[in-house]
Amino acid sequence: MVGKTIVIALGGNALGDNLAEQMAKLKSTARSIVDLVEQGHRVVVTHGNGPQVGMIDTAFEAAAMTEAHTPHLPMSVCVALSQGYIGYDLQNTLREELLDRGLQVPVASLITQVIVDEHDPAFKDPSKPIGSHFSKAEAEVMVRNGYVMKEDAGRGWRRVVASPKPLDVVEKETVRAMLQAGQLAIAVGGGGIPVFRQGHHLKGASAVVDKDLASAMLAQLIDADLLIILTAVERVALNFGQPDQRWLDHLSVDEARRCMDEGHFAKGSMLPKVQAAVDFAASRPGRSTLITLLAKAKDGIEGRTGTRIG
Ligand code: ADP
Ligand code: MG
């Protein structure tokens, strides 16, 4: 299977929670990605930003409270900063790995914006967890300070922000041009900067788009053959975490839809991945999505592991 156009979405486990972890983890992340470039595939890399965007927002909020010259940053700007913070490390790590293997492939991160709808119901029901985990008492203080907090799957309380549906990727032509020129693009980082279209003007939205859904949207727009979602599990499971748990090799689009309806996939973690997989696989015959572990990307493409949807 040579010469496919592949969108690779990196999850939190590929990036780590702080700068030191990010630099260390990206080394093995780069190896997995460059394996695919070496096999002749055209690759676009996308990534999440949950912990990073929370950290950036918290840092600026804290500074604004104690220092009169520090502005409150809109969430859209926090997402833009997270694209730079992660993209800088990611593109340099990829560059080094490519050069070490004698591959002359230019690599660059693109500040990427994603169109969202002002009337998206998500703005009334914040659901996307960002930043670190807090105790109940800490969360209560934050609620008094105007944040929306939710309990995150037994792991503590986290701040949640609106996560509207991505409708279009503003810089899609540039991503396409980079691919055609044989370049490695890093795009829709953190789900892309959410913006409302106002004539020729793009207005930043206070939200964080889900990176899996944004990656599926980008994959459709650049006419990719394959979407690979790399995460912390090797396969998708039915009855996840229960005694009758069953790991899946393959799901058709219809089966995946049925399993979503039956509630097999946790909201905010596996559900958006399966939804993204279905969006992409259903968008045109021949398209499919692979969900697997970062280290198994190559094996997954060769059909040896992972869950394929479509
Ligand atoms: P990422 O940072 O890659 O987006 P998430 O934590 O958001 O990772 O989602 C991946 C996690 O989803 C897995 O580590 C697993 O704990 C959880 N998960 C929830 N439901 C399922 C399921 N049905 N099958 C496999 N994993 C699941
Ligand atoms: Mg996630």
Side-chain angles (χ1 to χ4, degrees):
M1 193 173 103
V2 170
K4 297 252 168 194
T5 299
I6 303 176
V7 172
I8 302 180
L10 302 175
N13 66 323
L15 304 170
D17 279 349
N18 55 54
L19 195 54
E21 257 182 50
Q22 180 171 293
M23 291 173 111
K25 291 207 169 170
L26 284 181
K27 279 203 194 312
S28 65
T29 302
R31 266 182 238 123
S32 298
I33 295 169
V34 174
D35 281 349
L36 304 184
V37 176
E38 204 165 34
Q39 289 177 321
H41 300 298
R42 291 171 296 277
V43 173
V44 177
V45 180
T46 69
H47 60 83
N49 74 345
Q52 296 83 357
V53 79
M55 175 190 77
I56 291 166
D57 178 69
T58 307
F60 272 86
E61 284 298 303
M65 269 186 252
T66 54
E67 210 255 287
H69 297 286
T70 305
H72 285 277
L73 280 197
M75 191 49 72
S76 51
V77 180
C78 295
V79 175
L81 290 179
S82 78
Q83 289 187 351
Y85 168 84
I86 298 165
Y88 164 52
D89 263 358
L90 186 52
Q91 78 188 32
N92 278 345
T93 318
L94 284 167
R95 177 178 181 273
E96 199 171 317
E97 184 67 26
L98 287 160
L99 290 174
D100 285 350
R101 298 200 206 179
L103 297 168
Q104 304 295 326
V105 177
V107 46
S109 321
L110 208 60
I111 297 294
T112 322
Q113 302 168 94
V114 162
I115 303 288
V116 297
D117 180 359
E118 263 177 272
H119 304 293
D120 191 305
F123 285 104
K124 295 216 169 77
D125 179 25
S127 65
K128 167 95 188 156
I130 60 164
S132 30
H133 291 88
F134 296 93
S135 68
K136 192 158 188 282
E138 289 168 326
E140 280 165 8
V141 175
M142 293 177 74
V143 169
R144 281 199 290 279
N145 287 333
Y147 291 116
V148 183
M149 306 292 293
K150 277 192 185 156
E151 216 283 321
D152 181 26
R155 294 177 288 191
W157 290 71
R158 270 180 109 185
R159 192 178 159 199
V160 286
V161 295
S163 194
K165 228 171 66 183
L167 302 176
D168 197 3
V169 176
V170 179
E171 291 79 10
K172 58 184 183 259
E173 309 295 350
T174 312
V175 180
R176 257 190 233 138
M178 285 181 72
L179 273 180
Q180 272 159 16
Q183 303 187 7
L184 182 47
I186 300 165
V188 296
I193 304 161
V195 292
F196 302 128
R197 206 193 286 279
Q198 296 182 335
H200 288 169
H201 180 67
L202 298 174
K203 184 179 187 303
S206 182
V208 176
V209 175
D210 182 86
K211 70 103 177 32
D212 297 310
L213 297 180
S215 303
M217 172 57 62
L218 179 67
Q220 289 177 53
L221 293 169
I222 65 168
D223 202 14
D225 306 295
L226 181 63
L227 169 64
I228 305 182
I229 299 179
L230 298 177
T231 186
V233 284
E234 186 163 344
R235 287 188 179 87
V236 179
L238 295 183
N239 306 317
F240 180 67
Q242 288 162 43
D244 57 348
Q245 167 176 290
R246 188 155 67 83
W247 297 109
L248 300 166
D249 292 324
H250 179 255
L251 279 177
S252 69
V253 165
D254 286 343
E255 286 167 336
R257 284 191 176 126
R258 196 170 343 112
C259 294
M260 283 195 283
D261 290 344
E262 287 169 8
H264 284 283
F265 314 123
K267 236 183 145 181
S269 60
M270 191 47 76
L271 183 61
K273 294 184 200 311
V274 177
Q275 182 66 59
V278 165
D279 287 354
F280 180 63
S283 63
R284 185 179 296 172
R287 290 176 173 170
S288 68
T289 305
L290 176 72
I291 301 177
T292 193
L293 275 177
L294 178 63
K296 301 280 176 158
K298 204 166 151 189
D299 286 350
I301 290 197
E302 288 163 5
R304 287 197 291 271
T305 190
T307 303
R308 197 175 274 263
I309 297 178

